[in-house]
Amino acid sequence: MCGSGGRVDGRTARGRNGLRVALLGPLRAWRDGTSLDLGPVRRRSVLAALMLRAGTRVTHEQLIDDLWGERPPGTGHRVLPSHILPLRKALDGSGVGPAESVIRSGKGWYCFTGHGVRLDVSDLDERAASAQTARASGDTAVAVDRYTDALALFRGEPLTGLPGQRAQEERRRLLERRLSLRLERLECLVLLGRSPETLDELAALSASDPLDESVLALHMRALYAGGRQAEALNAYERLRSRLREELGIDPGPAARGMYEAVLNQDDRLVGPAAEGAAALGPRPWPHRPVNELPGDGGGLFGRVNELARLTASTAPGSVSVLTVDGPAGVGKTALVVRAARELSAGYPDGCLYVDLRAHSTRRRQSPERALQHLLRSLGAARGELPSDLDGLTAVWRAETSRLRLLLVLDDALDVGQIRPLLPAGAESRVLVAGRRRLAGLDADHRVTLEPLGPGDATSLLTHIVGADRAGREPEATRQLAGLCDGLPLALRIAGSRLQNRDGWTVEYLVGRMTDDEHLLGELTAGDRSVESAFRLSYDQLTPEQQRAFRALGLTPTVEFDRLTPAVMLDEPLQATEHVLEDLVDTSLLQQPRPGRYRLHDLVRVHARRLAQDVSAEAAPARSAALGLYLSAARLASDWSPAGFPTGPRPVAAPFTRWEEAEAWLDAAGGELVDVVGHAAALGEADHACWIAEALCDYFVRHGRYHECRTALEIALAHVDGATDRRMPAALRNCLGYTALHERRYTQARSLLTDALDLARRHPDPHEEVRTLTGLAALALSVGEGHQAVVHATAAVELADRLHSHWVASMAGVILGLAHYFEGRDEEALPCFAGALAHAEEDRRPRMLGRPLSCAADVHLRLGRYHEAKLLLHRAVDLVQQGGDAFLAVRSLTRLGTAEEGVGNTDVAIALHGQALFLQRQLLSPRTEPSYAWLEMDIRSRLGSACLSAGRIREAREQFRTVLAVHSTRVRRPRPK
């Protein structure tokens, strides 16, 4: 990697225009301290893949392999430019041109230059090297601090959530680096005689990888240094037994050497620093040490980074405040208590704990009562304490001004509850835990606690139910961890239920939790309940926030933007966004990236149950959400809203143009199919069918055939429950339309034949005309020209009567192509003109571009090059506006032929070259059935232009390539 390192907290470091990038956690970037929006996960994956090859030209194929491996998307080449441009806009400073961009490009490649960009991995290298230098020079205490600083750069799993082989390899390397630095730091602590501080972390590391001999050897050394020789020897015996059972081998030299040293009580294991500390005798404590920290109940899983941040060194000479926020049951109390216990030795004047009970069935702790308790704990209640807050605060500050205290404030509600309790003594530390994000509180570090990942959740569950029991049902254990959504409270309750029911299998409990109705009910044990914990958070909300929270449980997708709940609540966008941000601050709602929100799985179940209790509110909210997706899909479709003769009419708001609707659907990503499934599951069969039908054109245009078929098949399975009797034929028409684009002609014929029969048995002229158009396209694709003319003629006549402009335009294009393929040029031109006239009614660029491009073909064959040029210039502009890559490339190479026809051979060669480049950039042979045909067409035209220009050798190369491509099976392209 390149760059000179830099902090990732947004306060220091300058690079190219102040550009810094952080990889040691979620991929993030800043310019001049301002966070940059790197877009969705796939776009951040593109940036990571380029950065991991910084300074190297990465071909499009390499980039696609890095991101998708053996299962690249059909739109891989087309989608890359759509990610690169937004990344450049985000990363480059104002006024930076392509030549100076951090992402350079050329023919078939991209490159992340990296020059002057500051990276947190570089800072990691510097801090690690500084720590190792200090250790080598014998300054072990300084080395510990520097190792701690280096480890603090990790903000979670490196490159969190980014897919792709390259990201996975780098993630593995960085995790290994983190483990190495942790072990070096822990070894330094042992050498300093501080082995008790290392034991919990080493035990956790040993549990996560029981066969790592380097971790075990250091754990044995720390145990021995702490006077626990027997435990050190037992740890070795457990390793030896496991290695023999699982691998049939004995421990290696490192572990064996440590075992012999411990067995022989080798004093060199203690180290000179530790020996010196022992000789000094016990550390003097105050006369009345106070330690009110609660017991450390159970193991802490998956919180190593968060724990390191809470226990890291802080600025001297001031009171440091650290906050931990997160949803109910995520383990905030366990984390701050563990952190406090690790820190307790450094606060000899007292370790105090106050439960502020913000979310409790007991009376909330007021600042006055909390201060009285704290003062009495310190022995300061000499005589009568003041009863008012100001008086108590003054006494508290006076009593703590010369003390070094550790104070834990658990389950805090707001800043007003906390500020009076802050001690005055320099170098005191306060750990605050609560569900709300306390933006008004000045804090040195803030930790937002998320549910455990799948691995840590499974480890916690295994720890509770026992390795033997979990090992007998590994898949069921993973499923149970998933149903608990990684929430430690839910995992502990589920584990407790299994502990108390020896006759239950893990799979049996999973079966009891597989539907929303029973999921939360099963997560109850004694006085602990996941739903009760959520309910206490909900009860703290304002009525407006509660209504919004209930509505969020009904959203048809897991992720959503502000528009969906705004429509469901019938509120303005700005007001809705304000409420959503408030819910984020309460930890009931997540914000995975700017502008996108989601609920944790269990929280969503709770919200949905609350919404179902208010049926008068839930029904309209559900209908509004489904109506929004229906409106967007119909408006984005080239069929235009008028192409859907039944069902609700699209509302004018919130989308005023089809481009806005399409961009909104793009943001939903792969969850659009879930909207159809959501509607079907709710019994909204009509909406399921309408939405699936409306999404058909959108999916097909983007090459997302599998999603299209899935959505349509879900809807078709529920079509009998729909009141709209057009749907049985309509859905079959859509499936036939999709099969045509996939070249599954036999299936297309069967579907379209069934659709025609339904449309005529239950007279529906709108579906009949769509079916006739589909049959015409099918006939044209398989070479049945006469049949194509028959079907297309009937379709045009019927579409004219119905004023169905999209169908009339499509049928007109197919009819024109049928005449054109048979050499009837003068009959083809009026067909294309009629198709253009119908397309002008809806003004969709793709629909306008098709007949123009096809008519230009006729003029080219007739030698009317000037007429062809005029048509093709219009066609190229239109189809590029509409994003139709195939038609854009096809029209561009024909424009080259027109230029050749009027004598502009150099222009023609350039246009053909541009068409060839765009074909490779935007299309893929995996998803575009006519890819080979299009390449042959472009190269043939390019060869002809080279021949006209006297460039014989180049022409020969093009024609030879055409023959090579033709060696594979090439079919006639589908009508475009």
Side-chain angles (χ1 to χ4, degrees):
M1 299 301 293
C2 48
S4 56
R7 294 174 63 90
V8 296
D9 59 6
R11 291 178 288 186
T12 62
R14 304 279 170 178
R16 174 195 301 269
N17 294 326
L19 179 61
R20 296 172 301 100
V21 183
L23 305 176
L24 301 175
L27 180 63
R28 297 181 63 193
W30 297 263
R31 187 188 303 109
D32 297 332
T34 301
S35 180
L36 304 178
D37 181 6
L38 299 180
V41 65
R42 189 62 68 184
R43 186 169 302 152
R44 286 182 278 123
S45 299
V46 171
L47 175 59
L50 290 172
M51 290 182 65
L52 296 177
R53 298 175 182 263
T56 303
R57 292 184 176 185
V58 186
T59 67
H60 298 163
E61 289 73 18
Q62 288 174 321
L63 200 51
I64 289 172
D65 286 343
D66 282 351
L67 298 174
W68 288 284
E70 297 180 356
R71 295 186 176 180
T75 56
H77 285 275
R78 281 182 286 177
V79 82
L80 289 178
S82 71
H83 289 310
I84 295 297
L85 181 58
L87 284 173
R88 284 173 169 164
K89 288 181 178 178
L91 295 172
D92 295 335
S94 59
V96 174
E100 294 81 30
S101 173
V102 293
I103 301 178
R104 310 286 171 82
S105 62
K107 186 175 182 180
W109 58 265
Y110 295 107
C111 175
F112 184 85
T113 62
H115 177 65
V117 180
R118 297 183 67 87
L119 305 172
D120 61 348
V121 289
S122 300
D123 199 18
L124 179 69
D125 293 339
E126 291 179 5
R127 296 187 188 186
S130 176
Q132 288 157 352
T133 300
R135 180 178 178 181
S137 65
D139 201 344
T140 312
V142 172
V144 168
D145 291 339
R146 293 179 181 174
Y147 278 123
T148 301
D149 289 344
L151 289 166
L153 290 171
F154 286 91
R155 297 164 297 106
E157 184 180 68
L159 300 169
T160 305
L162 296 189
Q165 180 180 356
R166 178 70 57 171
Q168 182 63 32
E169 291 173 355
E170 184 66 9
R171 186 180 299 117
R172 187 182 304 114
R173 185 188 73 80
L174 289 170
L175 288 173
E176 290 172 356
R177 182 79 188 282
R178 181 173 67 177
L179 175 60
S180 176
L181 291 174
R182 288 176 67 185
L183 291 178
E184 291 175 34
R185 174 183 173 275
L186 292 169
E187 188 172 2
C188 287
L189 288 172
V190 173
L191 291 173
L192 288 169
R194 296 163 60 184
S195 59
E197 299 177 38
T198 70
L199 293 176
D200 286 342
E201 188 171 351
L202 284 168
L205 289 173
S206 293
S208 64
D209 189 356
L211 300 182
D212 190 326
E213 296 188 29
S214 61
V215 174
L216 175 83
L218 184 55
H219 192 194
M220 291 172 63
R221 182 173 186 175
L223 288 168
Y224 177 77
R228 298 158 69 174
Q229 180 187 19
E231 291 181 51
L233 296 174
N234 288 338
Y236 177 82
E237 291 298 337
R238 286 195 298 272
L239 172 70
R240 181 162 61 181
S241 298
R242 186 183 287 264
L243 285 173
R244 285 180 175 176
E245 290 174 7
E246 297 185 12
L247 303 176
I249 61 174
D250 286 323
R256 282 202 310 273
M258 185 60 65
Y259 172 74
E260 292 169 2
V262 171
L263 190 63
N264 296 321
Q265 298 183 357
D266 190 336
D267 289 338
R268 288 174 299 176
L269 294 179
V270 180
E275 289 175 351
L280 293 174
R283 179 176 179 175
W285 286 86
H287 178 65
R288 251 195 97 221
V290 180
N291 190 333
E292 294 185 337
L293 297 178
D296 193 353
L300 194 67
F301 288 79
R303 303 304 192 195
V304 175
N305 295 323
E306 293 87 348
L307 188 61
R309 290 180 63 187
L310 294 179
T311 56
S313 301
T314 56
S318 63
V319 177
S320 61
V321 179
L322 303 94
T323 68
V324 178
D325 64 80
V330 80
K332 301 179 292 296
T333 299
L335 176 63
V336 294
V337 169
R338 172 62 64 84
R341 288 196 163 274
E342 291 197 8
L343 291 164
S344 59
Y347 296 89
D349 296 322
C351 300
L352 305 174
Y353 174 88
V354 179
D355 183 358
L356 295 173
R357 301 198 293 265
H359 303 89
S360 171
T361 55
R362 298 168 61 197
R363 181 181 175 185
R364 185 179 302 158
Q365 188 86 277
S366 67
E368 292 88 345
R369 294 186 64 190
L371 283 171
Q372 289 171 347
H373 164 78
L374 289 169
L375 286 166
R376 288 190 170 90
S377 295
L378 290 178
R382 296 179 294 273
E384 191 69 27
L385 288 172
S387 58
D388 63 298
L389 181 59
D390 289 342
L392 285 166
T393 303
V395 174
W396 170 247
R397 289 174 180 167
E399 290 289 337
T400 59
S401 61
R402 292 182 298 277
L403 300 180
R404 187 178 181 187
L405 295 172
L406 175 63
L407 174 61
V408 177
L409 300 176
D410 195 12
D411 197 14
L413 178 64
D414 54 30
V415 176
Q417 208 181 17
I418 296 165
R419 279 201 182 116
L421 310 184
L422 298 180
E427 299 189 25
S428 291
R429 184 183 300 228
V430 182
L431 303 178
V432 182
R435 299 183 189 181
R436 294 178 180 269
R437 295 180 178 177
L438 304 171
L441 183 67
D442 292 331
D444 295 84
H445 294 292
R446 299 179 189 274
V447 174
T448 295
L449 215 53
E450 299 288 351
L452 298 173
D456 289 322
T458 304
S459 296
L460 174 55
L461 195 57
T462 300
H463 172 76
I464 297 169
V465 305
D468 291 343
R469 194 170 183 181
R472 289 193 297 270
E473 299 178 88
E475 184 57 34
T477 303
R478 285 191 289 271
Q479 288 179 5
L480 182 56
L483 288 169
C484 293
D485 196 26
L487 203 66
L489 174 62
L491 291 162
R492 292 188 181 280
I493 291 174
S496 175
R497 287 174 68 77
L498 289 171
Q499 283 179 333
N500 294 322
R501 292 164 177 80
D502 291 336
W504 283 19
T505 63
V506 181
E507 185 176 5
Y508 176 73
L509 180 55
V510 168
R512 292 172 63 96
M513 297 171 61
T514 50
D515 61 81
D516 289 355
E517 183 179 350
H518 298 97
L519 177 59
L520 290 177
E522 291 296 326
L523 294 176
T524 300
D527 61 351
R528 293 192 301 174
S529 164
V530 171
E531 188 158 28
S532 295
F534 291 160
R535 185 69 193 224
L536 290 168
S537 289
Y538 173 79
D539 289 342
Q540 297 287 348
L541 302 178
T542 66
E544 179 188 32
Q545 292 167 348
Q546 288 181 340
R547 176 174 172 249
F549 180 71
R550 292 193 297 269
L552 297 183
L554 304 173
T555 55
T557 58
V558 173
E559 274 197 15
F560 46 87
D561 63 356
R562 61 180 184 167
L563 179 57
T564 304
V567 169
M568 296 172 75
L569 296 167
D570 193 22
E571 295 287 347
L573 283 175
Q574 292 287 24
T576 302
E577 184 175 34
H578 181 73
V579 174
L580 293 176
E581 291 297 325
D582 285 344
L583 291 174
V584 170
D585 287 340
T586 65
S587 297
L588 283 170
L589 184 63
Q590 289 179 292
Q591 191 173 35
R593 57 186 185 276
R596 303 293 293 180
Y597 303 90
R598 62 167 291 157
L599 294 169
H600 288 294
D601 290 347
L602 292 176
V603 177
R604 185 167 59 253
V605 173
H606 178 58
R608 189 177 302 131
R609 288 171 65 138
L610 290 171
Q612 289 167 351
D613 292 339
V614 191
S615 57
E617 178 183 279
R622 278 196 301 259
S623 296
L626 295 175
L628 174 65
Y629 279 91
L630 178 60
S631 289
R634 286 188 168 183
L635 185 57
S637 173
D638 270 351
W639 302 351
S640 79
F644 303 93
T646 58
R649 309 312 303 165
V651 294
F655 309 111
T656 57
R657 301 167 60 243
W658 67 266
E659 294 94 334
E660 296 171 357
E662 182 158 305
W664 188 76
L665 293 175
D666 290 343
E671 292 196 77
L672 289 174
V673 175
D674 296 337
V675 178
V676 179
H678 179 78
L682 291 173
E684 297 276 358
D686 281 310
H687 267 109
C689 295
W690 291 330
I691 295 171
E693 177 197 32
L695 287 170
C696 177
D697 177 63
Y698 170 82
F699 278 141
V700 168
R701 282 192 282 104
H702 289 79
R704 294 161 64 175
Y705 305 124
H706 175 72
E707 291 173 82
C708 190
R709 279 188 280 108
T710 302
L712 290 167
E713 286 165 0
I714 290 172
L716 193 60
H718 294 81
V719 74
D720 290 342
T723 61
D724 187 345
R725 301 320 305 160
R726 185 176 64 86
M727 286 298 104
L731 295 177
R732 287 171 173 83
N733 264 328
C734 290
L735 282 166
Y737 180 73
T738 308
L740 270 173
H741 280 76
E742 293 183 275
R743 294 190 174 280
R744 292 184 288 112
Y745 297 132
T746 301
Q747 185 179 10
R749 190 183 298 277
S750 174
L751 287 162
L752 292 170
T753 301
D754 288 348
L756 186 62
D757 179 60
L758 285 168
R760 287 176 172 170
R761 269 196 293 124
H762 308 284
D764 189 332
H766 290 282
E767 290 312 309
E768 181 178 355
V769 73
R770 282 169 61 177
T771 311
L772 289 171
T773 304
L775 289 170
L778 174 62
L780 189 65
S781 299
V782 298
E784 299 171 355
H786 174 72
Q787 199 62 38
V789 170
V790 171
H791 288 313
T793 301
V796 169
E797 292 173 355
L798 183 53
D800 278 335
R801 292 200 301 273
L802 296 172
H803 304 290
S804 181
H805 298 297
W806 179 83
V807 177
S809 182
M810 285 296 296
V813 168
I814 294 168
L815 183 58
L817 288 172
H819 288 309
Y820 173 74
F821 289 156
E822 296 297 325
R824 298 188 292 270
D825 296 333
E826 297 302 335
E827 293 180 53
L829 284 173
C831 297
F832 296 135
L836 181 61
H838 281 288
E840 285 173 342
E841 293 292 330
D842 292 325
R843 303 299 302 168
R844 295 299 176 100
R846 286 177 292 268
M847 298 306 299
L848 290 166
R850 274 195 193 95
L852 289 169
S853 185
C854 292
D857 272 348
V858 178
H859 288 295
L860 287 176
R861 190 155 71 182
L862 294 173
R864 302 170 184 168
Y865 298 113
H866 287 288
E867 291 89 337
K869 272 183 61 175
L870 293 173
L871 294 173
L872 288 165
H873 272 296
R874 286 182 62 198
V876 169
D877 288 342
L878 286 165
V879 296
Q880 285 180 340
Q881 288 175 35
D884 191 326
F886 184 94
L887 193 53
V889 172
R890 179 190 185 279
S891 301
L892 202 59
T893 194
R894 278 153 176 72
L895 182 56
T897 300
E899 292 288 358
E900 180 190 354
V902 297
N904 299 328
T905 53
D906 289 342
V907 175
I909 291 171
L911 287 168
H912 294 314
Q914 185 181 355
L916 204 57
F917 173 76
L918 288 177
Q919 184 204 23
R920 290 195 296 267
Q921 286 278 104
L922 304 178
L923 300 173
S924 168
R926 298 185 186 94
T927 57
E928 177 48 65
S930 301
Y931 187 92
W933 172 88
L934 184 59
E935 182 179 357
M936 290 170 57
D937 185 53
I938 298 170
R939 292 188 182 278
S940 295
R941 294 172 188 273
L942 178 56
S944 172
C946 289
L947 202 59
S948 298
R951 293 155 64 168
I952 308 301
R953 186 173 62 182
E954 294 176 48
R956 182 183 295 114
E957 287 180 8
Q958 295 302 325
F959 292 138
R960 283 177 174 168
T961 305
V962 170
L963 293 174
V965 174
H966 192 267
S967 64
T968 60
R969 187 179 182 188
V970 179
R971 303 177 185 178
R972 176 178 292 179
R974 65 173 184 265
K976 284 282 185 179

